């Protein structure tokens, strides 16, 4: 995972030939151990640029910086570039680059997932539903178990182990929209099924007789 020194900016300036292009994403960080090299990924409307600055602790070792580019619309098909971004800058950064390459350039889809989850968790239910209709990514996030678990806990304050087990089977969103009677019926049915399974006698062990 990339270190906490990762930074991102939108619409900021850059150097060289990228000055005239709008920067959609700019993230730099130190790669995880044992390499510890420095990496930067820059996404513009036309290309994805990956730069690296190797860190060598061996005297006389050759460590030259480098860079590689791919057209933005082709990034999602470039498995090598995606793998390098993911392994050196982290899964979340690669996901953000991928979303931009897929044309999701609005500000919400460019936010880190943790921040986006926090924003969605403060919306009323109607607004959350409407936001989920905007595109496939926002639909996925607005329907995620992680988000609806936080919404349930915000409204109810507590969830028993039994309820968590049910949510893992049918989703937190479905649990949230159940009324108390429906929830009790479902939980009672699961308890009966669990008891019946525990009381069911096990099959007798096979006995082999040899002469």
């Amino acid at each position: 995972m990339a270190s906490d020194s990762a930074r991102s900016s939108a619409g900021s300036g850059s150097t060289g030939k990228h000055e005239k292009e709008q920067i959609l994403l700019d993230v730099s960080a130190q790669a995880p151990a044992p390499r510890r090299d420095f990496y930067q990924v820059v996404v513009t409307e036309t290309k994805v640029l990956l730069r690296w600055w190797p860190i060598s602790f061996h005297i006389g070792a050759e460590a030259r910086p480098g860079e590689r580019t791919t057209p933005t619309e082709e990034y999602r098909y470039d498995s090598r570039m995606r793998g390098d971004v993911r392994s050196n800058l982290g899964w979340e950064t690669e996901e953000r680059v991928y979303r931009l390459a897929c044309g999701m350039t609005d500000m919400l889809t460019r936010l880190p997932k943790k921040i986006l989850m926090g924003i969605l968790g403060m919306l009323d239910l109607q607004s959350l539903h409407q936001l989920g209709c905007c595109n496939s990514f926002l639909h996925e996030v607005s329907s995620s178990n992680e988000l609806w678990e936080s919404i349930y806990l915000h409204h109810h304050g507590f969830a028993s182990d039994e309820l968590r087990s049910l949510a893992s089977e049918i989703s937190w969103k479905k649990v949230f929209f159940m009324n108390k009677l429906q929830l009790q019926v479902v939980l009672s049915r699961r308890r009966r099924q669990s008891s019946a399974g525990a009381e069911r006698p096990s099959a007798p062990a096979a006995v082999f007789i040899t002469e």
Side-chain angles (χ1 to χ4, degrees):
M1 180 180 293
S3 67
D4 291 338
S5 62
R7 61 180 176 83
S8 63
S9 62
S12 62
S14 185
T15 59
K17 58 187 176 182
H18 301 282
E19 285 181 350
K20 296 181 180 180
E21 290 192 87
Q22 180 188 11
I23 294 178
L24 303 178
L25 183 70
D26 182 353
V27 176
S28 59
Q30 190 172 19
R35 296 183 63 186
R36 310 304 293 175
D37 299 338
F38 284 93
Y39 281 81
Q40 177 190 29
V41 63
V42 179
V43 184
T44 72
E45 295 177 342
T46 61
K47 66 186 67 177
V48 177
L49 168 66
L50 180 65
R51 292 191 179 108
W52 59 89
W53 294 267
I55 304 299
S56 176
F57 298 98
H58 301 286
I59 298 177
E62 185 177 15
R64 295 181 178 178
E67 67 177 51
R68 188 165 70 251
T69 62
T70 189
T72 303
E73 65 272 14
E74 296 180 12
Y75 172 81
R76 51 182 157 171
Y77 308 112
D78 191 334
S79 57
R80 181 186 174 191
M81 175 80 89
R82 293 187 63 190
D84 286 344
V85 173
R86 186 183 304 118
S87 60
N88 295 295
L89 291 165
W91 284 86
E92 183 173 333
T93 296
E94 199 283 317
E95 183 179 350
R96 294 170 68 190
V97 176
Y98 181 82
R99 294 200 301 265
L100 290 171
C102 291
M104 300 180 189
T105 57
D106 59 275
M107 290 303 299
L108 275 178
T109 55
R110 289 158 63 177
L111 289 173
K113 191 174 182 180
K114 184 176 181 180
I115 296 177
L116 180 58
M117 284 284 192
I119 294 174
L120 266 58
M122 293 187 288
L123 297 178
D124 60 80
L125 298 181
Q126 183 178 0
S127 298
L128 184 60
H129 171 74
Q130 292 173 341
L131 186 65
C133 296
C134 292
N135 58 49
S136 58
F137 171 71
L138 290 175
H139 174 75
E140 179 183 344
V141 175
S142 64
S143 302
S144 67
N145 253 343
E146 181 182 354
L147 175 64
W148 282 96
E149 179 182 4
S150 67
I151 292 174
Y152 183 93
L153 294 176
H154 175 74
H155 282 78
H156 299 279
F158 174 77
S160 64
D161 291 341
E162 185 179 34
L163 190 63
R164 290 182 180 277
S165 176
L166 175 63
S168 68
E169 293 180 9
I170 67 172
S171 83
W172 278 102
K173 185 175 182 179
K174 289 183 178 179
V175 169
F176 179 84
F177 283 107
M178 284 184 176
N179 59 43
K180 290 184 179 180
L181 179 59
Q182 289 174 323
L183 192 57
Q184 289 303 318
V185 169
V186 172
L187 291 176
S188 296
R189 186 185 303 123
R190 293 179 83 249
R191 293 189 198 107
R192 291 195 300 269
Q193 291 174 346
S194 178
S195 298
E199 295 173 359
R200 185 177 303 158
S202 58
V207 177
F208 299 93
I209 301 177
T210 59
E211 295 183 358

